[in-house]
Amino acid sequence: MEAGNEIGSSAHPTSLHPPVRGHASTGTLGRHLARRLVEIGVKDVFSVPGDFNLTLLDHLIAEPELNLVGCCNELNAGYAADGYARAKGVGACVVTFTVGGLSVLNAIAGAYSENLPVICIVGGPNSNDYGTNRILHHTIGLPDFSQELRCFQTITCAQAVVNNLDDAHELLDTAISTALKESKPVYISIGCNLPGIPHPTFARDPVPFFLAPKVSNQLGLEAAVEATANFLNKAVKPVLVGGPKLRVANAKDAFVELADACGYPIAVMPSGKGLVPEHHPHFIGTYWGAVSTSFCGEIVESADAYVFIGPIFNDYSSVGYSLLIKKEKAIIVQPNRVTIGNGPSFGWVFMADFLSALAKKLKKNTTAVENYRRIFVPPGMPLKHGNDEPLRVNVLFKHIQDMLSKDSAVIAETGDSWFNCQKLHLPENCGYEFQMQYGSIGWSVGATLGYAQAAKDKRVIACIGDGSFQVTAQDISTMIRCGQKSIIFLINNGGYTIEVEIHDGPYNVIKNWNYTAFVDAIHNGEGRCWTAKMHPLLTLRSTSLVRTEDELIDAIAAATGEKKDSLCFIEVFAHKDDTSKELLEWGSRVSSANSRPPNPQ
């Protein structure tokens, strides 16, 4: 399998951008790395300069097919590489030694949790300083330079410290190919004096990547399919549930093939939203235990067999360990393993192969779909908005729903946006991303920057709470500088609402900002940016004011009409207790799970 196929592209090695033939004089480590990034599909690299990486940045800038995007801080650069990888299949960021590396650490940990191949490149110390007793700046004052490496070892699948040109070629290629094969981040440190030095190993352009395909154990595949088909063909009302690892397994098409063939209802785990086609006639909603889409949870939990495809079961997705799922009824399909009930389990069976083969062996069974249609009642509409009432969040999301199309993508920040965005019905090919496993507040600002930079054919709609926005707000600046045209809904309810519903306290209240004025100040007349403030009360603001549903409609019309080529920032004021009912239920169950007393020893 070619690198392009491995990371989600349809390109073959012969159709990759043809390398410009190099000579020994141009065969440098910096040029090799730049060409490698272009070859695997990275066209934009998110960076923060520092003295240890400046020479390397010169070489990246010199590559005509690579665009360097300077970010306001390393955390956002890492989040942007995460968002870029979601849209493009692979992302990259470049920071400086330790002060940059330890700042980007949190974002790389999040990419690891979400199985995203992010190439994290650090400009390291001069190669002559290794093995000496010298103390360098940007360190903790010890002559041991391995602190940063040791931190990254726990959150990357491979690490390469390049302080010698003789093995640099092998170290770089091994790290990058490991990121693509494992679909996890890698760490690459490059000595600050090395990028521009010619070396014979870099005298020619890199041979295109060819990643060996992962081929299922044929006997194991056949046994897994036979055992699964026997299990499911005996069931009365089986269901399919898609999970987040459909992405890393590259199995979305195979999932649809299976769904079409078997006739079962299909649901999605919350962290898998966007990976399962919601326009499919058998789609029944999100399975999230007690906070599932109406009628979906009942159908899944009452089934006599459920196939979970690429699930992650954690305390959040299980709503504080309260799912009514029985292991003996479940078939768990992971990217490289299939487990049926309490056993048997089949290893080295890859998800896409398994789903395609299973589709040919199942009897069509629409019983559970018919049961769902019998009990289904369409969701109610939000009550009419009163003239003097603050704009309600459910009214806002009714209008966000109407904005969605194949040309849009939703980015949902950690918090109540998880629950409100989860209820959006995604049209065919509408993108959707959020970070449920790691759940780092502030992720969405950088991720919006990165996703929009990669998916220029889509307009990103980001839903961000005020508390999360305060963590990473600066890189609105980078969005404007890059000419992006995302629409950001800033939901201002005065604090960390998701924490309030788990365990309230004064620490969940934050200082209110004049968010639209903040964004206007960042805009500073350079680039295209438009802001609107939705407030129930009159204020002395020159920004477009939105106080009613009609004015919200006008603001959205402006953002999608005359301001469609601008970054649009719309601030919505909400009551601090205006939350989704799902968050109330979920918060109380997670609180209960968090507060369990110690078991007696």
Side-chain angles (χ1 to χ4, degrees), residues 151 247 313 386:
C151 291
R247 185 208 304 271
F313 294 107

Side-chain angles (χ1 to χ4, degrees), residues 4 56 85 180 253 354 462 541:
L56 177 59
L180 299 181
D253 291 343
F354 173 77
R541 283 280 299 139

Side-chain angles (χ1 to χ4, degrees), residues 226-245:
E226 182 182 3
T228 303
N230 287 340
F231 187 94
L232 292 175
N233 285 335
K234 293 175 185 172
V236 177
K237 43 184 183 177
V239 298
L240 298 182
V241 185
K245 291 185 181 178

Side-chain angles (χ1 to χ4, degrees), residues 22-32 59 165 194-205:
H23 304 286
S25 60
T26 58
T28 63
L29 184 156
R31 184 179 183 281
H32 175 83
H59 285 79
L165 285 173
L194 301 181
I197 303 173
H199 192 271
T201 58
F202 298 119
R204 292 179 61 82
D205 287 292

Side-chain angles (χ1 to χ4, degrees), residues 120-142:
C120 181
I121 303 162
V122 174
N126 186 293
S127 63
N128 298 300
D129 289 326
Y130 283 90
T132 69
N133 271 325
R134 294 176 178 142
I135 293 177
L136 297 183
H137 70 287
H138 290 345
T139 69
I140 57 172
L142 299 176

